[in-house]
Amino acid sequence: MNVTSTNINQSIQVISFYLIRRMSNERQCSEEDALKETLKTMTYELLQDRESGLYAESPEYVWSMLQDEVSGNIKSWIDV
């Protein structure tokens, strides 16, 4: 499969939507509040960076990274 800019954008969108929905559900907050929190994270910043390749990972994998970052365990995904 040929990776195109459109495919990458769609992947980033799908993962971002997943993160926001999941955070909203887990924290029992609005999606708007979940979005605000997600936008502040290094995980989200890394997801937006095409060179990182994070967009090619599963939404669950990125969620795990986000959870580690939020809980202060960012070292777990930096040392990988």
Side-chain angles (χ1 to χ4, degrees):
M1 180 174 157
N2 188 9
V3 177
T4 66
S5 182
T6 301
N7 290 347
I8 293 170
N9 290 341
Q10 287 175 338
S11 180
I12 291 170
Q13 242 180 349
V14 166
I15 294 171
S16 297
F17 182 74
Y18 177 86
L19 296 176
I20 293 161
R21 271 307 233 344
R22 182 108 185 238
M23 184 176 286
S24 175
N25 288 336
E26 299 232 348
R27 293 190 175 187
Q28 297 182 352
C29 65
S30 70
E31 288 186 4
E32 182 178 339
D33 287 341
L35 172 62
K36 288 176 185 176
E37 286 301 310
T38 302
L39 291 175
K40 296 177 189 175
T41 66
M42 289 181 4
T43 304
Y44 184 77
E45 187 176 327
L46 194 58
L47 176 62
Q48 300 302 311
D49 180 3
R50 291 166 177 253
E51 290 182 24
S52 76
L54 192 56
Y55 62 83
E57 299 294 342
S58 71
E60 293 83 11
Y61 179 86
V62 181
W63 171 252
S64 176
M65 286 181 64
L66 181 63
Q67 287 301 101
D68 286 343
E69 179 182 353
V70 169
S71 70
N73 191 20
I74 196 167
K75 188 175 181 338
S76 70
W77 56 267
I78 292 176
D79 289 341
V80 174

